[in-house]
Amino acid sequence: MGDTERIVQQMSEKGLRITDQRRTLVKLFADASGYLLPKDVYDHMQRTYPGLSFDTVYRNLRVLLDLGIIEQIVFEEGVKFKLHCDESHHHHHMICLHCEKTLPIRSCPMPEMDVPGGFQIVKHRFEVYGYCSDCRDAAEHAAAEENGRP
Amino acid sequence: MGDTERIVQQMSEKGLRITDQRRTLVKLFADASGYLLPKDVYDHMQRTYPGLSFDTVYRNLRVLLDLGIIEQIVFEEGVKFKLHCDESHHHHHMICLHCEKTLPIRSCPMPEMDVPGGFQIVKHRFEVYGYCSDCRDAAEHAAAEENGRP
DNA sequence: ATGATTGCAAATCTTTTGCAGGCCA
DNA sequence: TGGCCTGCAAAAGATTTGCAATCAT
């Protein structure tokens, strides 16, 4: 069974109605490799459902969020969503600045950190940004073109 | 010369007019130990300038931001501002969840990190959240009271 | 005197909410 | 059928902008 159907079933068991729209939304996240803005979600969904309204997108994002199916992170560009990570292994992410694909980083810096004394640690945030191997070449070509080399 | 006057002079040299309001705003950041929301700034300033309008706060925050006097970070609760850090030493922060005071962490985890191959690193974000020594006791007392012990 | 700064009002943008009709189970 | 979902409209919160009056230099 694919990720989409598994999640849809999980939603059904919680008593939620499975509409075509919700199925498409789940599939969008199941297939996406990176973070999505509400606007990204709306734009994608709107192709299939021309009458779609923005508030329904927000409402369904909240539903998926409350069920723990997706997670929310605040970036400079705004709030973004992605499929919830498997939490069985604590990990962090590399995030591609071009395609927003994320790659896990298995090691966590916290154990090695020398934090100021007397501070009671509750949580931490660690993210690395850059260009993934797929996008690095594209970025270099773009930069070269800006400098006049076609 | 205090931080406030030094910054004000720096603004004056850029051709900016020094109003009482701007001087107070600079002093607010020079004295603050943590991050401030635009609303925090407004509330503080509004005590001294009852006629203050929100747009002026935003405008002056942007002025200070463009001059590099303050810096902006996006948190869950929204965009916050603080006096710009001395960048001569790359460092990260511990941020108190109660009073929002920040303490520097001198060591940076990046050199030790084993990042997925082929990724071209551009920047990273690392923050540790918890309770500072001043607030830890207060937090414990509050938790104890919630459990019925006055 | 001149131009930057401010307050006011209104416009944007993002996100949320009330309501009535439509659809899933 | 019953109640959840949806679209519409409007509200709410955050931030920006145009304009005329005011203030720093």
Side-chain angles (χ1 to χ4, degrees), chain A residues 30-120:
Chain A
D31 293 347
S33 57
Y35 293 89
L36 299 173
L37 288 166
K39 180 157 196 327
D40 298 332
V41 175
Y42 176 78
D43 288 346
H44 180 275
M45 299 277 296
Q46 207 266 342
R47 279 179 232 141
T48 312
Y49 309 96
L52 181 69
S53 60
F54 233 116
D55 48 79
T56 302
V57 171
Y58 278 110
R59 263 188 292 235
N60 280 327
L61 284 173
R62 179 163 295 263
V63 166
L64 295 187
L65 197 61
D66 290 344
L67 260 64
I69 293 169
I70 59 175
E71 60 186 49
Q72 181 190 60
I73 303 189
V74 181
F75 293 101
E76 310 274 323
E77 317 87 71
V79 176
K80 295 187 180 181
F81 301 85
K82 78 182 281 289
L83 211 57
H84 192 274
C85 286
D86 172 19
E87 298 281 351
S88 57
H89 292 357
H90 172 70
H91 64 281
H92 297 281
H93 290 120
M94 304 219 49
I95 301 166
C96 179
L97 292 167
H98 185 255
C99 70
E100 303 215 324
K101 183 163 54 194
T102 65
L103 294 172
I105 301 175
R106 310 239 164 252
S107 54
C108 172
M110 279 310 290
E112 324 301 334
M113 297 309 292
D114 182 26
V115 297
F119 211 99
Q120 178 189 345

Side-chain angles (χ1 to χ4, degrees), chain B residues 35-42 61 77-81 100:
Chain B
Y35 294 89
L36 299 173
L37 288 166
K39 178 153 197 330
D40 298 331
V41 174
Y42 175 78
L61 285 174
E77 316 87 70
V79 176
K80 295 186 181 183
F81 300 84
E100 303 216 319

